[in-house]
Amino acid sequence: MLKVQPRNSGTAVIFYLQGQIVNGETDVLRNAVAFQPNVSAVILDLAGVNIVDAGGLGAILELREQANLKGIRFELMNLNKWVRYVLELSHLDSVFDVKTEVECPP
């Protein structure tokens, strides 16, 4: 089961994820990250994620595309070894903006 806890930081929202981003759990993520008009950045903190499958990668890519279309910065942070490996294996590590710490706009 995927748990999503948002935290506002100025006009950025950090989503702390815990569990698995897998097919069948992606709607939880999509619904939580529904973009608000006053948000300038969406950051997914993946420190608590232990599995990402193809459906999960697709959901994250979809969220990134929606953010880009609305001019919202989209970042991933705190990737564990497994998530980093999956991104590298799928050649998506160069597609996402990955941070080790949060840089929130004022």
Side-chain angles (χ1 to χ4, degrees), residues 64-77:
R64 178 186 168 272
E65 181 64 24
Q66 290 173 2
N68 286 340
L69 289 173
K70 296 181 181 209
I72 299 171
R73 193 174 83 226
F74 186 86
E75 299 175 355
L76 305 179
M77 67 178 281

Side-chain angles (χ1 to χ4, degrees), residues 33-48:
V33 183
F35 296 106
Q36 305 286 323
N38 296 328
V39 172
S40 65
V42 168
I43 303 160
L44 302 184
D45 186 320
L46 303 177

Side-chain angles (χ1 to χ4, degrees), residues 1-105:
M1 176 179 214
L2 180 64
K3 295 180 183 175
V4 181
Q5 295 183 331
R7 188 187 89 201
N8 290 357
S9 180
T11 59
V13 180
I14 304 167
F15 293 90
Y16 295 92
L17 309 180
Q18 186 173 358
Q20 304 174 353
I21 306 175
V22 295
N23 207 17
E25 296 289 324
T26 56
D27 284 343
V28 172
L29 180 59
R30 285 186 185 99
N31 292 337
V33 183
F35 296 106
Q36 305 286 323
N38 296 328
V39 172
S40 65
V42 168
I43 303 160
L44 302 184
D45 186 320
L46 303 177
V49 173
N50 52 17
I51 295 177
V52 178
D53 71 1
L57 287 176
I60 295 171
L61 281 167
E62 181 183 310
L63 292 172
R64 178 186 168 272
E65 181 64 24
Q66 290 173 2
N68 286 340
L69 289 173
K70 296 181 181 209
I72 299 171
R73 193 174 83 226
F74 186 86
E75 299 175 355
L76 305 179
M77 67 178 281
N78 293 330
L79 306 183
N80 62 34
K81 290 178 186 178
W82 170 250
V83 174
R84 190 174 299 279
Y85 174 72
V86 169
L87 289 177
E88 289 171 0
L89 188 64
S90 60
H91 302 288
L92 293 174
D93 53 329
S94 62
V95 171
F96 291 106
D97 190 6
V98 178
K99 302 289 185 187
T100 53
E101 58 185 59
V102 179
E103 296 172 18
C104 295

